[in-house]
Amino acid sequence: KTKNPEEPEKMKPVLLGLQKEVKKVLPDLPQTPVDKADEKAIQKLKDSGIIVFPVARNSNYLKANFVTVDSITYNDIVLLLPIKKQLVWLDLSQKNISDSLLTPIAQLINLTRLQLDNTPTTDKGLVSLQPLVNLQYLNLVGTKVTTQGIIQLKALPKLQALYLYKTFISSSDWPVLKNSFPKVTLDTGNYYVPILETDTTIVKPPEKKN
């Protein structure tokens, strides 16, 4: 059989797609099974506009997303507590949440991913995250955190990646942070905002300053 010269070109996007999928797979889901979350608790969340769905097929572990909630209150966050065993991903991106609203999040001890990018989070709020011993991924892009605040999290045993683009961390502080987090990927961004598998945001490079 003669080979079609166009086949290699056709395969390129397929291979690139496979490579991207491989990079997206992260071992950040608990390996132990968990019971299904209470349906009434999930319905209360949905009634408040909070999106809740499984993080993987045939899994009882859940992700909560506040993208459709206009104004988040303390009571909204408290609604997450009845599903704290199942909740592993929490997305609060681009929400005007105060540091005090992060206090009840400390009880969500199974969280492996937390997105606080483009929120008013400061060092004061980061103190509330210290009990999250299973946290692996923390997105703080576009927040007001400083080096001193980030160092408060160095005792988190499973932390793998911190996304710190557009924060109040100066370039001279990076050696300090690298020493404090020797096993953690510290992403300064520079050209992109990290996304999760379920995100569909198109990310553009930052505009060059004149």
Side-chain angles (χ1 to χ4, degrees):
K1 294 182 180 180
T2 58
K3 291 184 178 180
N4 186 340
E6 294 183 358
E7 283 183 357
E9 290 300 317
K10 289 181 179 180
M11 287 299 295
K12 280 184 179 180
V14 177
L15 293 173
L16 286 172
L18 289 173
Q19 289 172 0
K20 289 179 181 178
E21 288 300 321
V22 170
K23 290 179 181 178
K24 285 180 180 179
V25 176
L26 295 175
D28 59 352
L29 292 182
Q31 298 302 307
T32 54
V34 67
D35 294 333
K36 276 191 174 184
D38 182 72
E39 290 294 336
K40 291 182 179 179
I42 292 179
Q43 191 58 51
K44 286 183 179 180
L45 288 162
K46 291 181 178 179
D47 290 343
S48 296
I50 301 165
I51 300 171
V52 182
F53 53 93
V55 295
R57 187 176 299 177
N58 300 322
S59 174
N60 290 330
Y61 286 107
L62 302 171
K63 174 181 178 178
N65 192 317
F66 281 69
V67 66
T68 59
V69 181
D70 293 330
S71 179
I72 301 175
T73 67
Y74 185 89
N75 289 335
D76 289 328
I77 301 296
V78 170
L79 287 175
L80 296 171
L81 299 184
I83 65 167
K84 65 181 181 181
K85 288 183 179 180
Q86 294 83 10
L87 188 63
V88 289
W89 297 0
L90 178 58
D91 189 344
L92 295 169
S93 302
Q94 302 185 47
K95 293 301 173 180
N96 189 26
I97 56 172
S98 62
D99 286 328
S100 61
L101 291 185
L102 299 183
T103 303
I105 289 178
Q107 299 180 53
L108 304 175
I109 56 174
N110 278 340
L111 281 185
T112 61
R113 295 190 182 193
L114 177 58
Q115 289 185 247
L116 295 173
D117 46 298
N118 299 301
T119 65
T121 301
T122 70
D123 293 350
K124 185 178 179 181
L126 292 184
V127 177
S128 301
L129 307 183
Q130 290 177 335
L132 300 181
V133 294
N134 289 302
L135 195 64
Q136 298 179 28
Y137 170 109
L138 178 58
N139 190 334
L140 294 168
V141 170
T143 61
K144 299 178 181 179
V145 299
T146 70
T147 299
Q148 289 70 31
I150 297 296
I151 289 177
Q152 295 175 126
L153 304 177
K154 67 178 182 179
L156 292 180
K158 297 185 179 181
L159 197 61
Q160 294 181 13
L162 282 168
Y163 295 87
L164 303 172
Y165 181 48
K166 288 187 177 180
T167 60
F168 285 13
I169 299 171
S170 65
S171 57
S172 60
D173 288 340
W174 287 113
V176 175
L177 285 175
K178 287 180 180 179
N179 288 333
S180 299
F181 297 90
K183 297 181 180 180
V184 177
T185 299
L186 303 176
D187 198 310
T188 62
N190 294 330
Y191 59 93
Y192 75 97
V193 176
I195 58 176
L196 298 179
E197 293 91 328
T198 51
D199 292 335
T200 56
T201 304
I202 298 174
V203 181
K204 297 180 179 179
E207 294 181 2
K208 294 182 180 180
K209 295 181 179 179
N210 294 329

